[in-house]
Amino acid sequence: MDNLKRTVEAAGGTLDDVTQVLIYLPNKEDFAGMNAVYRTYFNQPYPNRATVVAGLMIPGARIEIVAHAHIKG
């Protein structure tokens, strides 16, 4: 999430500009912890989100995130 925040800020935006987040987790047991962290980064109304439990491509990875943002320029 820190990396996502830095990336959006480098493009001139904030996390409030994020419109959609796709989250991939290898274990459904990780959802509650991910959700608690997620709420510390985004404000209501939260971006549209989908969370999928799936095998991840990087061995040992605990999360993959795809985010879409609309940054006014």
Side-chain angles (χ1 to χ4, degrees):
M1 295 299 294
D2 286 338
N3 187 41
L4 173 59
K5 184 177 182 216
R6 282 191 301 271
T7 301
V8 171
E9 288 174 351
T14 70
L15 289 179
D16 288 335
D17 296 314
V18 174
T19 59
Q20 182 180 43
V21 181
L22 307 173
I23 298 175
Y24 299 88
L25 300 172
N27 303 305
K28 66 181 178 179
E29 294 80 15
D30 293 335
F31 179 81
M34 177 281 301
N35 201 44
V37 171
Y38 183 90
R39 289 175 183 233
T40 68
Y41 282 85
F42 293 104
N43 298 311
Q44 291 184 0
Y46 300 112
N48 176 25
R49 181 180 81 187
T51 304
V52 179
V53 176
L56 304 183
M57 296 302 294
I58 300 171
R62 299 292 303 264
I63 190 168
E64 289 185 21
I65 299 173
V66 176
H68 300 270
H70 181 262
I71 299 171
K72 299 171 185 146

